Amino acid sequence: MAELQTHTEAGEMTQIFIEFVMMQAQNAALCLGQITDPRIGQAQVNIPLAKMFIDQLAVIRARTAGNLSPEEQRVIDSAIEQLELAFVQVVSRTEGLHPGESLAPDLEPPPTAAPEASAPAPQPPPAAAPSPAPQPPPEEGRKRFTKSYGS
């Protein structure tokens, strides 16, 4: 029969706590686009989910105040501080972007000037071009978050 473990070493508990904090921080970094999503091979940004992970770490820090070892306290404080700074940077970079827009810079080189000897490419008549779908104003459909980190 399996034995029930009734005693855990303090060092083991510290290691488990640090691993937990780092896992939450890694999830937040993934949502902030700092880590490439292994499922699709590129970075994705999910600000509400990143905010949730950061807020969870802040709650854990508040609820464990006075009960952490100096090492545990340093790890959680550092993780929250770094994530809050990254959060502010990502939010400032994403202002005005629609959901699903890429944050990656354009990877295509700018068009070069064509040699004067070549004839310009024929352009389709304006009437043949389909009209673009109307785009909603940038503020519609976007949630606004007011929580300020670092105050």
Side-chain angles (χ1 to χ4, degrees), residues 9-24:
E9 295 292 323
E12 186 178 345
M13 290 298 285
T14 294
Q15 186 62 33
I16 291 170
F17 180 80
I18 290 172
E19 288 172 359
F20 171 74
V21 169
M22 298 311 295
M23 182 174 48
Q24 293 293 95

Side-chain angles (χ1 to χ4, degrees), residues 97-101 140-142:
L97 292 180
H98 294 289
E101 277 189 85
E140 288 185 23
R142 290 190 64 200

Side-chain angles (χ1 to χ4, degrees), residues 90-143:
V90 169
V91 167
S92 69
R93 285 184 12 225
T94 58
E95 282 298 317
L97 292 180
H98 294 289
E101 277 189 85
S102 174
L103 292 176
D106 287 336
L107 299 177
E108 293 185 27
T112 57
E116 293 179 24
S118 66
Q123 297 293 324
S131 61
Q135 297 293 324
E139 297 302 315
E140 288 185 23
R142 290 190 64 200
K143 293 182 180 181

Side-chain angles (χ1 to χ4, degrees), residues 36-44:
T36 301
D37 187 336
R39 296 173 295 166
I40 60 173
Q42 66 182 18
Q44 294 288 310

Side-chain angles (χ1 to χ4, degrees), residues 60-130:
I60 291 166
R61 177 174 58 184
R63 299 295 293 175
T64 58
N67 292 321
L68 299 178
S69 71
E71 180 184 12
E72 292 168 334
Q73 190 68 50
R74 181 181 46 78
V75 167
I76 197 165
D77 288 344
S78 175
I80 292 171
E81 180 182 334
Q82 290 174 7
L83 290 170
E84 287 174 346
L85 290 172
F87 182 89
V88 169
Q89 290 172 348
V90 169
V91 167
S92 69
R93 285 184 12 225
T94 58
E95 282 298 317
L97 292 180
H98 294 289
E101 277 189 85
S102 174
L103 292 176
D106 287 336
L107 299 177
E108 293 185 27
T112 57
E116 293 179 24
S118 66
Q123 297 293 324

